[in-house]
Amino acid sequence: MEKLLVDELKDLYSAENQITKALPKLVKAATSPELKKAFESHLEETKGQIERLEKIFEILEKSPKGKTCNGMKGVLEEGSEVMEDYENPQVRDAALITAAQRVEHYEMAGYGGVRTYAELLGQTEIARLLQETLEEEKAADEKLNSISRRVNSEAMKAA
């Protein structure tokens, strides 16, 4: 179980680092000021999540390096396609939200799983840190839900 925990944490570490490279592109592609701000805010939050993961690896006395999260790589590639596929800015914003929510859901699944592994292994501090990140991911998803109500309405009018 400890090997599984470490492997999954390495996967999440890779995923978060990939996200920090993708978010500036989403900020640039978004036209809704509210959506741009949400992406910018989540970029800063993601940097903190990486720091949290690094702290977890220090506790475990393991290296976070050595794994590429291919799942996140694929999700992010799909998201980058929508930037090119939709010329209408409102429709593109709607597509960007959906792409971003795929990322959030992938992360929520990963963090929920590793938090449970940490709990089972008696790693209460690690479980607490992972729960903190999981709550941030859930909040980001809710914020995107809220923004999508307005953006999707505007996309319908513009299309």
Side-chain angles (χ1 to χ4, degrees):
M1 284 302 287
E2 186 174 326
K3 181 183 180 334
L4 177 60
L5 172 68
V6 171
D7 284 348
E8 292 294 319
L9 286 167
K10 285 183 178 193
D11 198 64
L12 286 166
Y13 185 76
S14 169
E16 295 291 11
N17 278 287
Q18 290 177 50
I19 291 165
T20 61
K21 291 177 180 83
L23 277 167
K25 296 172 191 169
L26 297 179
V27 170
K28 188 175 179 183
T31 55
S32 160
E34 187 179 18
L35 184 56
K36 278 183 178 289
K37 186 177 176 187
F39 287 151
E40 288 168 346
S41 172
H42 197 59
L43 175 58
E44 291 310 308
E45 196 169 64
T46 300
K47 291 174 184 175
Q49 293 167 352
I50 290 171
E51 289 174 9
R52 212 174 282 135
L53 284 168
E54 289 169 345
K55 182 175 181 179
I56 289 168
F57 281 104
E58 284 177 23
I59 293 168
L60 293 170
E61 298 179 352
K62 302 284 183 187
S63 169
K65 310 270 190 217
K67 191 166 187 176
T68 298
C69 181
N70 290 315
M72 185 57 70
K73 191 175 181 180
V75 171
L76 291 173
E77 282 175 14
E78 282 184 4
S80 70
E81 289 172 7
V82 304
M83 289 186 261
E84 300 162 13
D85 289 348
Y86 299 97
E87 289 182 30
N88 180 301
Q90 289 84 10
V91 174
R92 185 176 48 247
D93 281 354
L96 289 172
I97 291 171
T98 300
Q101 286 189 292
R102 283 190 181 105
V103 169
E104 296 306 327
H105 287 236
Y106 189 93
E107 290 178 292
M108 286 187 287
Y111 280 107
V114 294
R115 185 232 24 238
T116 299
Y117 302 154
E119 289 171 347
L120 290 170
L121 291 165
Q123 294 279 5
T124 54
E125 175 66 6
I126 291 172
R128 185 191 65 73
L129 291 167
L130 293 168
Q131 182 63 36
E132 193 175 329
T133 298
L134 181 58
E135 293 303 323
E136 289 174 353
E137 301 299 1
K138 288 178 181 177
D141 183 54
E142 283 301 315
K143 183 167 193 79
L144 289 168
N145 272 336
S146 175
I147 295 169
S148 75
R149 289 184 195 97
R150 286 179 291 287
V151 167
N152 291 347
S153 177
E154 289 171 15
M156 284 297 295
K157 291 175 190 168

